[in-house]
């Protein structure tokens, strides 16, 4: 049984901010950093997403050497501000899994800044809760959830999720993207429920409309003072620079990020999305806008509902367990993603 973070060390426990892409992970992460006490790291640690799937388990020294060599060439390393030699020694001698790698790097960053603790931003960690918890038993998970209709709209606008080739029409691409949202949300919730003391869900809408109360709840969970006024004064990252996929459309769009789908999605598209992922929307507190008679799911969308979760599960498994998945997963460009990238794209 994996232990939970004890009360005595909770105020120093690592925090993992995660959630489906476009859910507000950037914003929440920058709120944590702006609160004070966290190491400021604007880099990316793709140990689970890229490096281990590409090179293999860190239990092998030869694998560690390849992982280290690749990481040292990345922007993620350069942004640590650390000397390569002492960090390399620790990674080669101490790391046996992805959690060790994150801990060694982030502990060194925190120590260099005299910060009490650190947090990690990566939306895709919502798919790795069990693995992270096994490797870092004191990890705390913050899962931010946003209305799947807004997610589908935003990801489609920015090309952040690529449906299968035969599902590229307007409605089908939105339905496919909403199924991707449901898959990520349900995976995170299912795995997070196995560690209830160390897992919390925050709704993006609550963070926007009632930030003081929402941050107070989160602060109690991670045992950290998330003073809203101090956060606003610091204003790091997305608190002062929008990450909206509608940022080119003017200030008003930036100030009103909630419920854009109500104005921008056609009635038929809303009906298709709600017919396909309506149950998940309701489970997460989002009311459906259309009556049942207008949410009848056709054969094609029923087939998509069965196929996409299986496709995404298979793709995730292949990435970790087959040579083809490993070699298909490596991109030097991916290693240079921003920690809070403007696009947060996640292409299939």
């Amino acid at each position: 049984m994996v232990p939970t973070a004890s009360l005595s060390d909770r105020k120093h426990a690592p925090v993992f901010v995660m959630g489906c892409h476009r859910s507000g992970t950037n914003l929440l992460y920058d709120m944590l950093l702006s609160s004070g006490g966290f190491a400021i790291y604007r880099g990316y640690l793709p140990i689970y997403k890229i490096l281990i799937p590409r090179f293999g388990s860190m239990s092998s020294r030869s694998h560690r050497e390849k992982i280290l060599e690749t990481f040292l060439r990345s922007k993620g390393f350069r942004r640590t501000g650390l000397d390569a030699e002492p960090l390399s020694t620790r990674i080669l001698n101490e790391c046996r899994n992805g959690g060790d790698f994150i801990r060694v790097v982030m502990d060194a960053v925190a120590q260099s800044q005299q910060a009490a603790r650190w947090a990690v931003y990566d939306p895709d960690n919502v798919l790795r809760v069990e693995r992270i918890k096994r490797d870092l038993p004191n990890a705390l998970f913050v899962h931010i959830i946003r209305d799947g209709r807004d997610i589908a709209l935003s990801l489609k606008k920015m090309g952040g999720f690529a449906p299968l080739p035969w599902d590229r029409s307007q409605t089908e691409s939105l339905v496919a993207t909403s199924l991707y949202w449901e898959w990520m949300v349900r995976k995170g919730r299912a795995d997070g429920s196995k560690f209830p003391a160390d897992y919390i869900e925050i709704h993006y809408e609550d963070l926007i409309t009632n930030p003081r109360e929402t941050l107070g709840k989160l602060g109690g969970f991670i045992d950290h003072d998330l003073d809203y006024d101090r956060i606003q004064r610091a204003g790091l990252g997305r608190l002062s620079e929008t990450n909206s996929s509608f940022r080119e459309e003017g200030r008003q769009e930036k100030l009103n990020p909630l419920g854009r789908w109500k104005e921008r999605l056609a009635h038929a598209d809303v009906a298709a999305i709600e017919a396909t992922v309506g149950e998940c929307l309701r489970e997460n507190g989002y009311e459906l806008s259309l009556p049942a008679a207008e949410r009848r799911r056709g054969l094609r969308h029923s087939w998509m509902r069965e196929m996409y979760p299986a496709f995404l599960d298979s793709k995730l498994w292949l990435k970790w367990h087959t040579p083809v998945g490993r070699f298909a997963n490596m991109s030097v460009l991916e290693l240079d993603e921003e920690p809070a990238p403007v696009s947060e794209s996640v292409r299939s």
Side-chain angles (χ1 to χ4, degrees):
M1 181 177 179
V2 176
T4 61
S6 68
L7 293 177
S8 61
D9 72 357
R10 201 171 188 88
K11 66 170 56 273
H12 302 293
V15 179
F16 287 78
V17 177
M18 61 189 193
C20 182
H21 296 256
R22 310 308 301 170
S23 292
T25 46
N26 278 347
L27 176 65
L28 183 55
Y29 179 68
D30 286 331
M31 284 182 166
L32 293 186
L33 299 192
S34 297
S35 70
F38 282 96
I40 307 299
Y41 177 60
R42 310 299 307 169
Y44 181 56
L45 301 175
I47 187 65
Y48 291 110
K49 182 177 180 179
I50 297 174
L51 296 174
I52 290 177
R54 172 63 178 88
F55 295 113
S57 169
M58 295 194 76
S59 61
S60 163
R61 183 178 178 90
S62 65
H63 294 171
R64 293 198 298 275
E65 290 172 347
K66 293 175 183 176
I67 287 171
L68 175 62
E69 179 185 1
T70 305
F71 178 64
L72 291 179
R73 290 188 282 110
S74 73
K75 186 185 296 182
F77 166 68
R78 294 192 294 274
R79 290 192 172 186
T80 65
L82 301 173
D83 291 336
E85 186 173 347
L87 182 65
S88 298
T89 299
R90 291 196 62 190
I91 288 175
L92 292 176
N93 292 339
E94 300 178 28
C95 295
R96 297 297 181 272
N97 56 51
D100 288 342
F101 178 89
I102 294 172
R103 175 183 53 78
V104 164
V105 173
M106 292 307 301
D107 278 357
V109 172
Q111 184 176 14
S112 72
Q113 299 179 17
Q114 298 183 319
R117 68 192 305 185
W118 49 265
V120 170
Y121 160 91
D122 187 344
D124 288 327
N125 280 334
V126 78
L127 305 174
R128 311 180 189 109
V129 171
E130 282 194 282
R131 187 179 297 269
I132 293 170
K133 193 62 173 172
R134 182 191 65 197
D135 293 350
L136 288 169
N138 66 334
L140 302 176
F141 300 95
V142 182
H143 182 185
I144 185 165
I145 299 173
R146 187 179 184 184
D147 191 322
R149 292 160 293 195
D150 272 329
I151 298 295
L153 173 65
S154 181
L155 277 177
K156 177 172 172 53
K157 185 177 190 300
M158 59 178 281
F161 175 76
L164 294 169
W166 50 84
D167 292 326
R168 300 289 173 88
S169 69
Q170 170 74 9
T171 299
E172 273 60 54
S173 64
L174 285 166
V175 168
T177 305
S178 70
L179 285 165
Y180 167 73
W181 165 81
E182 180 185 69
W183 176 72
M184 290 200 80
V185 167
R186 288 197 164 168
K187 183 78 168 78
R189 297 192 80 192
D191 291 349
S193 69
K194 299 171 186 176
F195 314 104
D198 296 333
Y199 168 87
I200 191 173
E201 293 171 3
I202 297 294
H203 281 256
Y204 174 76
E205 293 79 8
D206 293 336
L207 190 64
I208 296 300
T209 60
N210 196 359
R212 293 181 189 277
E213 181 178 334
T214 305
L215 290 170
K217 173 185 174 183
L218 177 58
F221 169 75
I222 65 174
D223 194 5
H224 200 91
D225 182 13
L226 300 180
D227 181 83
Y228 182 65
D229 294 323
R230 183 168 61 247
I231 289 171
Q232 289 294 100
R233 287 195 299 271
L236 299 179
R238 300 311 176 198
L239 293 173
S240 56
E241 179 186 354
T242 181
N243 187 36
S244 170
S245 55
F246 296 89
R247 57 189 173 274
E248 76 282 2
E249 297 186 22
R251 180 173 175 78
Q252 193 63 26
E253 285 292 343
K254 299 174 189 177
L255 295 176
N256 295 281
L258 306 181
R260 288 195 180 108
W261 63 270
K262 296 176 183 178
E263 300 294 330
R264 294 176 174 269
L265 290 181
H267 183 278
D269 295 335
V270 175
I273 292 172
E274 293 188 356
T276 307
V277 300
E279 182 180 350
C280 189
L281 285 167
R282 279 193 297 249
E283 286 174 1
N284 288 280
Y286 299 106
E287 294 184 3
L288 303 187
S289 64
L290 299 177
E294 298 182 40
R295 290 186 276 106
R296 293 175 180 168
R297 192 188 312 151
L299 289 177
R300 181 168 185 179
H301 295 160
S302 294
W303 176 81
M304 291 175 68
R305 172 154 190 79
E306 294 298 319
M307 189 274 299
Y308 269 91
F311 165 70
L312 291 166
D313 282 337
S314 297
K315 185 179 175 185
L316 190 63
W317 187 88
L318 288 169
K319 182 176 181 178
W320 275 90
H321 298 285
T322 69
V324 172
R326 288 180 180 175
F327 283 97
N329 183 55
M330 184 59 184
S331 165
V332 174
L333 292 177
E334 283 186 278
L335 287 172
D336 279 343
E337 286 183 6
E338 300 292 327
V342 171
S343 64
E344 276 191 343
S345 81
V346 52
R347 296 184 179 274
S348 292

